[in-house]
């Protein structure tokens, strides 16, 4: 499940990133900005879902469980076993 | 400031160890046209850009390159994790092994360590953006040469993704250069 989740997260996150690079050099393109905003909203919904089911995604942004800092336990991005 | 995301920009899931492939791919970790050099180049050139569009493009592309640096690190790790002495010797990895064990070290395919001598920050926006466009083309060529030399689809797919990103970045830098040119022209009109 984690693999599938990460794949979907990578896709949504890529869409937002690529649109951001485009509007960096086209800051007046309202249609692209609308797509960017839509993409960022979809991404943050998925991020919240991921953090609830799998674990924290961001250092010093994602809150921790109360009694164990699970950031140190969940898989690192380069681990594939 | 940067925030670490505990995920890769593009998934890497290599099932077959291949130290010879790792030794080639590592050039995109620490070689002259690699991702570390790209990140340092763009993030260092930002400060003197006269237009915000160019600063934004360098900041965001430089940040993405750090993510690519991590993708390459993940590939090298997965290609070499748990190698036996026999596999190290047979795979031509012994020279790397005696210096770095199974660690991941920024070097080019020939073993030369990472050096900032392969990049510039010239203090001239036009010069720097031309360098950046050339850098993206050089990285694209390297990814193509790597793809020519490798055959495992688990290895090829992330390399194809990274190759495609070089083309997008080239385009964005071209647009940033246009913004700088417009600014330079405007400045001389009044």
């Amino acid at each position: 499940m984690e693999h599938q989740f990460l794949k979907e997260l990578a896709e949504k996150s890529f869409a937002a990133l690529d649109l951001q690079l485009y509007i960096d050099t086209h800051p007046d393109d309202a249609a692209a900005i609308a797509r960017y905003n839509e993409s960022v909203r979809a991404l943050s919904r998925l991020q919240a879902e991921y953090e609830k089911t799998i674990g924290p995604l961001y250092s010093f942004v994602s809150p921790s469980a109360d009694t164990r800092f699970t950031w140190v336990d969940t898989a690192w991005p380069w681990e594939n076993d | 400031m940067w925030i670490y995301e505990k995920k890769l920009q593009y998934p890497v899931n290599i099932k077959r160890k291949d130290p010879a492939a790792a030794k080639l791919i590592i050039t995109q970790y620490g070689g002259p046209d690699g991702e570390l050099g790209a990140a340092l180049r763009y993030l260092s050139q930002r400060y003197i850009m006269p237009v915000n569009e160019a600063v934004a493009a360098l900041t965001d592309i430089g940040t993405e390159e750090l993510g690519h640096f991590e993708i390459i690190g993940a590939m090298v790790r997965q290609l070499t994790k748990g190698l036996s002495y026999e596999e190290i010797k047979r795979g031509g990895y012994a020279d790397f092994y005696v210096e770095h064990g199974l660690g991941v070290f920024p070097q080019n395919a020939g073993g030369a360590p990472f050096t900032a001598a392969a990049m510039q920050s010239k203090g001239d926006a036009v010069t720097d953006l031309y360098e950046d466009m050339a850098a993206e083309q050089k990285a694209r060529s390297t990814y193509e040469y790597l793809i020519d030399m490798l055959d495992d689809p688990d290895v090829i797919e992330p390399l194809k993704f990274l190759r495609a990103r070089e083309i997008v970045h080239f385009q964005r830098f071209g647009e940033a250069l246009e913004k700088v040119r417009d600014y330079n022209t405007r400045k001389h009109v009044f």
Side-chain angles (χ1 to χ4, degrees):
Chain A
M1 181 192 70
E2 193 175 331
H3 269 301
Q4 189 48 42
F5 218 143
L6 278 171
K7 193 168 164 274
E8 207 185 326
L9 199 58
E11 283 165 9
K12 288 238 169 14
S13 155
F14 175 70
L17 177 146
D18 200 40
L19 282 163
Q20 164 139 1
L21 293 191
Y22 179 80
I23 53 180
D24 276 348
T25 55
H26 302 79
D28 300 309
D29 186 333
I33 295 170
R35 286 178 59 203
Y36 170 78
N37 282 336
E38 195 183 309
S39 159
V40 164
R41 278 192 290 270
L43 176 60
S44 55
R45 279 194 297 273
L46 192 66
Q47 281 165 349
E49 209 183 313
Y50 180 93
E51 297 203 311
K52 208 159 62 182
T53 42
I54 294 174
L57 263 178
Y58 301 97
S59 40
F60 54 83
V61 172
S62 306
S64 174
D66 291 337
T67 54
R68 173 70 185 174
F69 190 47
T70 54
W71 175 260
V72 302
D73 300 327
T74 52
W76 295 97
W78 52 88
E79 291 174 343
N80 65 341
D81 315 315
Chain B
M1 185 50 156
W2 274 264
I3 294 173
Y4 185 70
E5 280 195 63
K6 205 172 178 182
K7 67 173 182 58
L8 293 179
Q9 189 195 11
Y10 188 94
V12 175
N13 196 5
I14 299 169
K15 294 161 220 73
R16 204 180 72 204
K17 286 179 278 186
D18 185 347
K23 231 173 136 179
L24 299 178
I25 290 169
I26 208 161
T27 198
Q28 286 306 88
Y29 196 73
D33 306 313
E35 303 292 354
L36 176 60
L40 288 182
R41 175 186 291 114
Y42 306 150
L43 294 175
S44 300
Q45 291 174 347
R46 296 179 292 162
Y47 301 98
I48 58 95
M49 289 290 145
V51 295
N52 281 331
E53 289 89 342
V55 180
L58 286 164
T59 299
D60 294 334
I61 295 173
T63 299
E64 186 182 352
E65 305 294 14
L66 288 172
H68 295 175
F69 179 63
E70 189 181 38
I71 293 175
I72 299 291
M75 294 181 80
V76 171
R77 173 60 177 162
Q78 292 182 13
L79 287 164
T80 57
K81 188 183 174 188
L83 285 174
S84 68
Y85 299 147
E86 203 39 53
E87 287 170 321
I88 289 168
K89 285 187 265 186
R90 227 180 326 115
Y93 209 63
D95 48 357
F96 186 95
Y97 182 79
V98 298
E99 301 293 354
H100 310 292
L102 296 182
V104 178
F105 178 76
Q107 65 169 44
N108 73 7
F114 175 77
T115 169
M119 55 164 270
Q120 250 295 17
S121 179
K122 199 67 183 173
D124 179 311
V126 171
T127 306
D128 284 351
L129 287 165
Y130 270 118
E131 162 160 331
D132 300 343
M133 293 172 75
E136 294 295 335
Q137 292 298 330
K138 287 189 283 183
R140 178 187 58 75
S141 303
T142 306
Y143 281 118
E144 287 171 9
Y145 297 154
L146 285 171
I147 290 164
D148 292 342
M149 291 297 111
L150 299 167
D151 46 25
D152 181 349
D154 291 342
V155 171
I156 301 282
E157 286 310 313
L159 295 177
K160 278 164 64 180
F161 169 81
L162 292 166
R163 175 193 173 277
R165 297 309 293 155
E166 310 301 341
I167 296 166
V168 172
H169 294 171
F170 175 82
Q171 176 70 24
R172 298 285 93 89
F173 284 136
E175 292 155 0
L177 179 60
E178 281 310 302
K179 298 277 180 194
V180 170
R181 285 199 186 292
D182 287 351
Y183 170 85
N184 287 344
T185 314
R186 270 201 321 274
K187 214 176 47 171
H188 298 301
V189 166
F190 51 82

